[in-house]
Structures are given as structure tokens and as C-alpha cells.
Amino acid sequence: MTAPDPAVGRAVATADVLVVGGGLHGCSAALHCARNGLSVIVVEKDTVGRHASGVNAGGVRRLGRAIAEIPLSLAAMEIWHRIADLVDDDCGFRPAPQIKVAETDTQMQALADRAAMLRDLGYAHETVLDRDELFRLLPAVSQHCVGGLASLGDGFADPYRTTAAFRRKAERLGVRVLEGCAALGVEVRQGGFRLRTAGGPLDGGILVNCGGAWAGAIAAQLGEPVPVEPIAPMMLVTSRLPPFCRAVVGAAGRPLSFKQMDNGTVVIGGGRRGTIDAGGNATRLRLGELAKTARTASEIFPIVGRAEIVRGWAGIEGRMPDDLPVIGPSSTTDGAYHAFGFSAHGFQLGPVVGSALADLIVGRRPDLPLAPFRIGRFSASIASTAPGGAPPPTDRCV
Amino acid sequence: MDSTDLAIIGAGPAGLAAAATVAGTGASVVLLDEQPLPGGQIYRGVEMVQMLRPKTFGFFGPEFAAGADLAKALRGSAVDYRPGSVVWDVSPDLVLHYSRDGRSRGLAARHVLIASGALERPVPIPGWTLPGVMTVGALQILLKADALVPRVPAVLAGAGPLLLLLAVQYLRAGAPPTAIVETVPKDAYRRSARHLPQALRGWRSLLKGRGWMRELARAGVPWYRGCTGLRVEGGDRAEALAFDHDGGRRRIAADVIALHQGVVPNTQLTRLVGCAHDWDSGQRCFRPRLDAWQASTVEGIWVAGDGGGIAGAKAAEWQGRLAGLAIAGRLGRLDERDRDRQAAPLRTALARELAVRPLLDALYHPSPEVLCPADDVIVCRCEEVTAGRVREAVRLGCPGPNQAKSFLRCGMGPCQGRLCGLTVTEIIARERGLDPAEIGSYRIRPPLKPLPLAELAALDDEAEAPV
Amino acid sequence: MFRRTSDAIRPAGISIHFEGRPIVAQAGDSLAAALLIEDVGAFRSTPVSGAPRAPYCMMGVCFECLVEVDGVPNQQACMVQVRDGMQVRRQRGPAGMDGNG
């Protein structure tokens, strides 16, 4: 599977599919492509699951999804409930209700309106909780809460374990994963792509861009620049507490994601952001923002006020201006596909997006509506905000 | 937010010496320390001991008395000393957050000196988690700060000068150990002899060591050399130490069992701030990369004392003064000529202290069974993760400590990896056939010590986030 | 398992309670020292397996000496000074939020 490359004078590894990015989406795409009989190489600049995929809050959530994402999310949920069938590991998945708590009557009304709207669209997974139902599901929630919106058949999982399980299963199906192998540039060639990487050139017929926060550089090289913004959502974890909460909890009026793991620790996030170092590959916490997260958590669950925070962290994620991911074929280049910009809610979608990409790649029509996620939706805004067209080329893109 | 020219973390010999040096030039100095009294671990409670327990003060000797002088200098200085302060974040732009009396505060500094000293190297052997098993350092602290000695003679096991020092101190305190179980291989003395000529420059330390050995021999303390296969036996608490010696298995009953395999730099702070670290293959630990003035690779962050590499209390003091001179210079309080003139004798003294280290490092190299324990031995005490599970995680694709942590929760308990970090690095390095330098260590994140959630939430009022 | 040295100071004793049992300690003692001299055995049991633990490092590093002091869990006994009337309990498993370990 190698041929000499006259330009660089060394062997070029080849595969049917080259995947850029060893996060959950990259590993899932690789796994599903391999299941379809394709040979795959995944290149990852750090280690698999190093950024958002490995360190996110682990919510497996249909609740509160943008309307466009609901079909994907419902399909993904089906897979999550039997995730071991796909990757031979339960990924730490635990079924649990996802609940968004209302602290005021106004918030409660907004939640009820959303539930009604979803019902009109034919979705029944989100249900309104009155105050009694809320306290039955969340005995430890603060007395001031008035109700909530729940998706009872959701859950949570262990993000690093999940990403590692996808990777291992992909490797068992023959996928090669190259860690510490940054993609440096892509060249469109007759019948495929040449990817320049830190580990040497790779040739492939298909290119899949799952570069997360770094995916914009690949897109730009394909002539379709997109405004993907690197963000660093912050999280906290406490020491182990006795069990007091069996649901994953958010708040209607302020950023919060709150859950107690089986081991008793409580993981608290919600989207408040840390900063990203100048090098673009490491994060710092912003304590003032993190303090707000801690305050929200202790106001909604007073029981955690005396818990001890053992660790705070932030992983780097790519966000799109409309908070919807980019999923689907390139608008400029045959054989190139994208799945990135999940805007801090891509974990649950991981198992299904890879499957949809594999469908597209082998020429099957995916049974999920992907049109809202097409990359072309930003072409007008990019053109108007950046008269020069593509952003300046970068040497190191993923 | 509060601000200062220099914030020093740690009131041991390095921190105290630096504080006196810099405050003496008129610059503002805030000294933050977790303990209620100055002295660090080596001079723990030195003021109280000097004042109230003259007998103990006497047998601790002149080395301990040096701590009293440093503490006295602090009391007479303009240093803003804040005991009982737990630093839980230091940002690269030199903003500290610390907890004191149940409340967290910020402190902006122009320079930060990290003088957070050493930790005992973890000693993962079977049974090391049982009540009654403690580090040699812990027993010294109980002796210094609380005037406690074992009721029933203790077993002291492992390798290193501190092990012998504690034995001598117990002897003098009227509580001789029941045995010393030394893990130094019998050929280590021969193998380390090549470092002897250089070590002779630090002849005082060598003589001191000889003196201890004679004192222990005269007292007839049983001393088992070249021991392996150490195992603490017991149900709910330690009952005995078992080990292999001279081809036979021995068992010594004791309810206090001291373990020691040397000390290693406490690098939690320097790793949090993002200083570059190097693997020290002699001391089997990571140490921050420092220049000749104790500056780290992060602008404004300085390191003195054992936290920068193990060299002992006197070296810590000289390094603290060197760093102090350099910082005073950077603050415009000392011109270059004065700085260099005052530094010259410190460098000579420091070189003398360091001369003996290669011999000690070679002689007291940690025992292999501690660096890479057997599969059933607990490595992460907090989360009860065994060496075998770390090895399994490597086989499942975890390339380093951070992935093992995500996989197994090792290092995610309240000690935040302080007691398993080095062992996990060594195990993964061995499994993957790589050098620990390539494996790296746990990434450190705030809070540096567990922090009540309510205390962080209360910071929201102040909204003083470094950006 | 421990006793005081012959030249230990004897300031006025202060009274604390461990698991409801009165203990005489001395002002200036760390809580860990006061409990070690009383030979209380385990200070805590782990949240993972319930294994007994007691002080290991005595310098605030190992978190093995966690106890509940006056209803507040996760207190490092080696870092806390004894205070008259202090109510101390073993920390059993995951730190209780309700004052009973």
C-alpha cells in the first residue's frame, strides 16, 4: 500500500480514506468507514481524545437540541442504548434523565412552550415536569425551583473511555491511527488527496475533516473557509459524595451542566469558557467565570456548597456562529467531507455522524437530514466579512 | 486585588532566606505558607521546640538550630507573613489565589518565588496503605511539632539519609527503633564509590553520616542490609513488616512502620504554571528547569530549595538568597555589581552542598520494586488503583499518565496525584519501553488542593478573573 | 501507638470528642497527633472499598487523615490544630453532606 513519492523521496502511505482528527467524530468516521470495507488512516496531532472529545462533560442528551439536530440526536440515542454492540465496550454509558430546571415561572413557561412546539413537530421525547415531579426526580434540588423539562431516556457516558473505545474498535477493523502526526496541508490531486503530515505524506481517495477547533484550516485549503471559533468550555469535578442525584441537570436561565457519576463525584460545567493559550493547544481557567459556575451549582443544588472541588479543566472545541455543526460533503471538492464545529454538544452525536459520513462516502443516501449542516451556509457571511476570501494560509492546520 | 513586589510560597529555608534578602532591600514581600509556624518541614515548629523543649532542641543539633535563626530573622523583618495560607492557583501572569481562614483571596505579584520543597517519594509496597504505615518525614514531623515517639519501637524501612537520621533522633529521644530494614543493594556501596572523590568536597555531610552509623551501631540497633520483597502485614492496621534478607524471609512485629525511599521535588506548582521540567535520571524525578539565578522558564517565576531538585536545607537557603538577590536586582533594588558580589560566596557554599549529591543519589537509588511495583500493589491510594490496572490501561492504548488518569481515575482523588504521579510515570515508561522524560507527568490544574465549592462560588462577588 | 517524649511540654489540657468519646489533648497539638496518641486506629474509610486509613505524610499531602470536624467533612487532621470542644468523627466513605459522615 505504499509507493515512492518523487517529491519527498520517501514512501507514501495510502488508504481509501484519510481522516484528519482523532477525536470522537474522527474515530467514529473511521470505524464506520472500516465497517464498510474501506481502508482508513486517522491522523491526530496530539493523542486520541486529547481535546474536547476526551474531556467534555459526557452528557448523552437529546434534551434541548436545536430542531435541526433532533433527528440525528434521536438516531444517536438508539445507538447509545446498545453502544457495546458497536464498540465492544459500554463506554461508561448510564441511562439517566436529562432535566432542565426552571427557577422562575417565566422560565417554566418558556420550557412548556418548547415542549408544545416539539409535540407539534411530532417529537415526544421532551416532557414538562411540574414542581412535584421535579422534586421526585431531583430530591436535592433547591426549594426555589418551580419545575422543569425532561428527556427521561437520555444518559451520560465517560468521554475519554468512549473515544478510546471507538479508536480501539476501529483499529481492530484495520484502521491505522497515527498520533503525534499533525496534518500540515492538503493538496487535491487526480483521484484524491495528498495530505502532508508531520509523519510524512499520505495519499487517499477520500478526505474526512474531523479537525474540531482546528478544522477551519483544512476547509480553507479546500477553498471553503468557515468561521470556526476555538472555545474552551470549563468544567469542575468534586470529591466523591454520597449518591444524591440520578439525573443530568441543566438550568433554563443560566449556564449549567450538573451530574453525579456512579463513583459519587459531581461533574459541573455548562459552557462558561476559559482561555486558550497563544499556542492554541492548551487552556487556562478563568476563575471569575468558574466562580459563577460554582455559584450556579450551589444555588441549584445547595448540597454541593460544602463539596470539595478536586479539579477544574477546559478542553478545546470548535464553535460555529449558529451553534450548529458542519456535517457533509465539501462544497468545492469531490471526495472531501466534513464533520466539525459541534459547538460543545457533539459528544452524543458521535456514533451517528460517523455512520452518516460513511453512508455518504460509499454512495448510500443517509436516512438523516444533513442539509442544515452543509458547509456552504457560511459562504455569504465569509465573503462579506472577509473581502480577501480565504483567511491567511497557516502552516500547521490540524 | 492585593498586590506585592514578591510573593513567596513556602516558609522553609529557601522561602525564609529569600524573604529576608528581598525585604532587606525595601521591596514588598508577601510570604504564604500552609503551616501555622515558619520553618517548613525541615525546621517544623523550630521556634516552639527552641523555646519549650530544650532537650529535643539539643539533640536535633546545629542543623536544626539554623532554622531558628531564619525564623527569628522573619519575625524581625518587614515581610508580610501569612501563615495558614493554602495557595490553590498561580497563573502565568503572576496572580495567585489562596485560601486562608475559609476564604479565598487573590494576590497580584511582580515576581513569584516557589519554595514549596519536597515530598517523600511514594513507596508502593504491599500493605503500605494500612494505618500505622507512615513516611519517615511524617514521623519526624510528629517528633518535632508534637513531641511524639512510637510507644512500641518502630521499624524503619527503605533507603536514604533521612531514614538514618530518624533512627538517630529516635535513639536520642529514648525510643530506639526495633530495626532498620535497608533496601540499598549490597553492591551499591561499591558501585557508588566512584563519586566519593567529588563528595569529599562536602566532607561535613559525609562525617555526619558516619557519625550516625556509629551511634546506631553502638546502641545495637539491628540493621538488615540489602533487603527486598518488603510487605506490610496486618488486617485493619499494620502488625509487622516482612522482607527477604540473606536468602531467608524475616518478619518483625511493629505497629508503627516507617517507609522511606528518599524525597523528590514537589512540582505541583511549577507544573501548574507551565514551567519546563526535565527528568532527573539520578534522582528518578522531574525537576523544573532553572538558570543560575533560580529563574524558571516562565517569566517572573523563580524556584528555590528542594522544589527545584533535592539538595537539602542548607542548599535551599543559599538558593533562596541567590534568587532573592536576582529578584531584588530585577526590581531595581540592587545593582548588578552588588548582586554578583553578594552571590559569589553563596555559589561557593552551594557547590559544597551539592558535591555530595551524586554519591547519595547513587548509593540511595530507589529500590526497583518501589519504582515498578507488582501488579497487585496499590499505586493510587486515593482511588485504590493498582499497578496492574495501570499496565492494563497501557495495553488498552493509554500512552501516558493523563490518559491513564482519564481511564482509571488514578490521580483524581483528593491528593491529586501527589502520591501516585511518579509511580504511574515509571510504570508506563517501563511498559512502553520509553524513558520517563518522554512519558511526562499528570497535567496539573487548579485548584492545587481541594477547595470547598462554596469558597470558589464566593469569589464571584469579587470577579477578579485574570484574563 | 505513640507517646510523648520526656521533655514534651504540658500546657493545660483541652478537651475534644472523637466519635463522641472525650479525649484530652494539648493546646498546640495537631488534631492528627492528638488522635494518634489516643490510638484511635483508622481516621477514615475509603469511598472506594471502605478500607481503613490513617495519617501517612503528616504534611498535608496525602489526604489520608481526612475526618469530619464539627460537622464539616474533608478536614485534614494533620493541618488542623485542636480546639477546645471540637467534635471529631471518622470520615466513612464518601464525605457526608449531612453531618453524620
Side-chain angles (χ1 to χ4, degrees):
Chain A
M1 292 282 285
T2 60
D5 171 36
V8 291
R10 54 174 153 166
V12 180
T14 66
D16 297 332
V17 182
L18 304 176
V19 178
V20 178
L24 177 58
H25 287 279
C27 291
S28 176
L31 163 60
H32 286 284
C33 285
R35 280 162 57 97
N36 281 281
L38 299 168
S39 64
V40 186
I41 297 174
V42 178
V43 297
E44 162 56 48
K45 67 179 171 60
D46 295 304
T47 53
V48 165
R50 164 70 181 86
H51 296 288
S53 292
V55 300
N56 67 78
V60 178
R61 169 177 66 83
R62 293 174 297 176
L63 180 71
R65 289 271 164 192
I67 304 299
E69 282 182 356
I70 290 176
L72 272 71
S73 184
L74 298 184
M77 207 67 226
E78 303 274 311
I79 303 177
W80 275 106
H81 281 283
R82 41 181 177 80
I83 193 77
D85 294 349
L86 180 63
V87 295
D88 308 332
D89 187 301
D90 75 6
C91 300
F93 175 72
R94 297 290 175 271
Q98 289 261 355
I99 301 174
K100 186 167 281 196
V101 169
E103 298 178 83
T104 65
D105 291 335
T106 317
Q107 288 170 8
M108 192 62 228
Q109 189 55 52
L111 295 181
D113 291 349
R114 173 176 163 94
M117 177 192 67
L118 290 189
R119 265 196 314 277
D120 291 347
L121 293 170
Y123 299 123
H125 60 286
E126 295 192 10
T127 55
V128 170
L129 305 176
D130 65 21
R131 196 167 186 282
D132 287 348
E133 289 165 322
L134 180 71
F135 281 88
R136 190 175 53 75
L137 286 165
L138 299 177
V141 81
S142 170
Q143 289 296 315
H144 78 275
C145 296
V146 298
L149 186 64
S151 177
L152 297 171
D154 290 2
F156 60 89
D158 179 336
Y160 181 76
R161 180 172 166 182
T162 301
T163 308
F166 273 77
R167 176 248 184 106
R168 273 201 312 280
K169 179 68 184 207
E171 285 180 326
R172 279 198 294 275
L173 297 177
V175 171
R176 276 181 291 166
V177 179
L178 308 178
E179 294 181 297
C181 184
L184 303 173
V186 62
E187 218 180 293
V188 182
R189 298 189 150 196
Q190 187 66 37
F193 302 86
R194 167 154 296 179
L195 196 60
R196 283 191 303 116
T197 79
L202 303 172
D203 282 352
I206 301 288
L207 180 74
V208 182
N209 176 18
C210 294
W214 298 267
I218 291 275
Q221 293 199 8
L222 295 174
E224 43 191 352
V226 284
V228 53
E229 174 199 7
I231 59 170
M234 296 187 292
M235 269 152 284
L236 296 173
V237 65
T238 70
S239 53
R240 292 172 186 251
L241 303 177
F244 68 90
C245 178
R246 294 179 180 286
V248 183
V249 181
R254 35 188 176 165
L256 179 71
S257 141
F258 182 105
K259 70 173 153 302
Q260 184 173 31
M261 312 297 288
D262 281 357
N263 60 35
T265 62
V266 178
V267 176
I268 305 168
R272 293 190 193 278
R273 295 176 195 168
T275 54
I276 298 173
D277 286 356
N281 212 39
T283 59
R284 291 281 312 170
L285 303 183
R286 290 168 70 204
L287 296 180
E289 286 297 293
L290 206 57
K292 291 187 174 72
T293 297
R295 163 157 296 197
T296 302
S298 62
E299 285 176 359
I300 292 187
F301 284 100
I303 194 170
V304 299
R306 287 210 320 232
E308 303 258 320
I309 299 166
V310 174
R311 189 177 176 85
W313 73 93
I316 300 176
E317 161 73 326
R319 175 180 174 265
M320 307 310 297
D322 56 4
D323 282 311
L324 290 179
V326 171
I327 305 170
S330 162
S331 63
T332 60
T333 314
D334 282 346
Y337 298 84
H338 301 285
F340 64 85
F342 286 85
S343 310
H345 50 260
F347 180 63
Q348 189 252 0
L349 303 177
V352 82
V353 171
S355 163
L357 285 177
D359 284 347
L360 289 170
I361 288 166
V362 300
R364 262 195 312 267
R365 194 186 168 80
D367 45 11
L368 294 165
L370 296 179
F373 313 112
R374 69 192 187 284
I375 191 164
R377 70 189 194 270
F378 299 108
S379 50
S381 64
I382 287 285
S384 62
T385 55
T394 56
D395 181 44
R396 175 193 176 93
C397 51
V398 173
Chain B
M1 189 187 296
D2 215 359
S3 69
T4 182
D5 288 333
L6 170 64
I8 300 176
I9 304 165
L16 290 171
T21 304
V22 177
T25 68
S28 60
V29 178
V30 173
L31 174 57
L32 301 165
D33 190 63
E34 292 186 356
Q35 296 297 329
L37 293 170
Q41 304 307 334
I42 191 76
Y43 303 133
R44 185 83 175 249
V46 64
E47 294 167 310
M48 294 287 286
V49 178
Q50 181 181 34
M51 199 167 20
L52 300 168
R53 291 159 53 202
K55 189 174 145 203
T56 303
F57 191 72
F59 74 64
F60 275 137
E63 292 81 19
F64 190 62
D69 297 338
L70 285 168
K72 193 171 165 197
L74 171 71
R75 299 298 184 186
S77 75
V79 173
D80 180 351
Y81 169 51
R82 302 181 190 174
S85 298
V86 179
V87 174
W88 58 263
D89 189 36
V90 179
S91 69
D93 55 357
L94 309 186
V95 174
L96 292 78
H97 279 84
Y98 65 99
S99 171
R100 192 180 186 199
D101 297 329
R103 197 184 141 214
S104 282
R105 299 169 175 82
L107 171 66
R110 292 174 66 191
H111 294 269
V112 174
L113 175 72
I114 295 173
S116 53
L119 305 174
E120 291 248 358
R121 178 187 299 284
V123 189
I125 61 171
W128 74 308
T129 56
L130 287 172
V133 180
M134 301 173 83
T135 66
V136 156
L139 294 171
Q140 272 199 318
I141 288 163
L142 282 171
L143 178 56
K144 290 170 188 168
D146 300 290
L148 296 196
V149 290
R151 199 184 295 275
V152 177
V155 181
L156 277 46
L162 265 190
L163 189 78
L164 304 184
L165 177 58
L166 178 68
V168 168
Q169 289 168 343
Y170 271 178
L171 203 59
R172 296 175 186 170
T178 185
I180 296 172
V181 176
E182 208 176 43
T183 58
V184 180
K186 285 185 173 160
D187 64 349
Y189 290 92
R190 187 175 45 75
R191 281 191 292 106
S192 54
R194 66 192 169 89
H195 298 291
L196 198 57
Q198 185 200 330
L200 288 173
R201 290 174 58 205
W203 54 273
R204 281 193 192 86
S205 312
L206 295 182
L207 276 187
K208 207 162 61 185
R210 287 300 304 170
W212 296 344
M213 291 186 192
R214 279 205 210 96
E215 194 173 340
L216 291 167
R218 264 202 312 275
V221 175
W223 191 331
Y224 301 90
R225 295 174 193 261
C227 302
T228 55
L230 273 61
R231 170 184 292 272
V232 178
E233 297 180 350
D236 280 349
R237 58 197 301 169
E239 290 161 15
L241 181 74
F243 56 95
D244 294 321
H245 177 253
D246 269 351
R249 191 80 178 153
R250 285 185 177 268
R251 184 179 188 278
I252 299 177
D255 65 356
V256 174
I257 295 170
L259 299 180
H260 183 66
Q261 290 286 337
V263 295
V264 294
N266 179 358
T267 55
Q268 301 287 115
L269 269 160
T270 45
R271 283 187 284 152
L272 171 75
V273 189
C275 303
H277 288 72
D278 296 308
W279 175 253
D280 181 333
S281 57
Q283 297 186 346
R284 304 301 298 183
C285 59
F286 288 100
R287 56 200 287 178
R289 191 178 305 156
L290 305 177
D291 72 7
W293 292 102
Q294 308 297 130
S296 79
T297 56
V298 174
E299 176 61 29
I301 301 279
W302 310 71
V303 183
D306 278 354
I310 302 305
K314 285 318 278 186
E317 191 178 332
W318 311 139
Q319 290 170 350
R321 293 201 197 285
L322 278 175
L325 292 173
I327 292 165
R330 292 282 296 278
L331 289 168
R333 303 268 178 179
L334 196 63
D335 68 37
E336 214 167 281
R337 243 192 30 217
D338 282 344
R339 183 196 67 179
D340 293 351
R341 187 178 48 74
Q342 294 180 43
L346 296 171
R347 293 197 188 283
T348 308
L350 184 58
R352 201 167 48 234
E353 286 299 317
L354 295 175
V356 73
R357 297 314 307 187
L359 175 69
L360 294 179
D361 292 347
L363 182 56
Y364 295 123
H365 195 266
S367 123
E369 62 190 51
V370 160
L371 292 181
C372 272
D375 276 352
D376 60 344
V377 176
I378 286 178
V379 165
C380 166
R381 297 171 63 108
C382 297
E383 294 291 322
E384 297 180 58
V385 178
T386 61
R389 288 181 63 209
V390 175
R391 293 188 178 105
E392 187 193 349
V394 174
R395 288 192 291 272
L396 286 174
C398 292
N402 292 295
Q403 293 79 17
K405 180 186 68 191
S406 296
F407 220 74
L408 302 170
R409 281 188 55 78
C410 52
M412 284 296 283
C415 99
Q416 299 169 309
R418 287 170 173 84
L419 269 79
C420 66
L422 277 176
T423 315
V424 168
T425 293
E426 292 266 11
I427 290 173
I428 296 174
R430 177 74 67 91
E431 282 301 289
R432 297 191 56 207
L434 295 172
D435 193 76
E438 299 171 81
I439 296 298
S441 48
Y442 290 138
R443 262 191 303 280
I444 306 298
R445 293 284 205 170
L448 264 182
K449 293 235 168 145
L451 179 74
L453 187 131
E455 209 172 306
L456 176 62
L459 268 190
D460 184 25
D461 297 334
E462 292 154 36
E464 293 174 320
V467 178
Chain C
M1 57 205 293
F2 286 90
R3 63 175 171 83
R4 295 198 191 265
T5 57
S6 57
D7 73 336
I9 44 170
R10 311 269 171 191
I14 60 173
S15 171
I16 67 171
H17 285 80
F18 182 72
E19 297 285 328
R21 179 165 70 86
I23 285 177
V24 176
Q26 292 182 8
D29 278 349
S30 69
L31 175 56
L35 298 181
L36 284 171
I37 207 166
E38 286 294 318
D39 206 3
V40 302
F43 280 43
R44 70 175 186 119
S45 58
T46 64
V48 181
S49 72
R53 297 287 172 88
Y56 177 73
C57 79
M58 285 302 292
M59 54 185 275
V61 168
C62 73
F63 292 78
E64 295 290 18
C65 63
L66 295 179
V67 290
E68 189 188 290
V69 177
D70 295 332
V72 182
N74 292 315
Q75 303 300 299
Q76 292 177 277
C78 74
M79 301 293 282
V80 171
Q81 306 284 304
V82 290
R83 288 185 311 269
D84 206 30
M86 201 177 230
Q87 296 286 333
V88 185
R89 289 187 176 278
R90 287 196 176 91
Q91 183 155 307
R92 293 190 175 83
M97 309 308 297
D98 50 4
N100 59 19

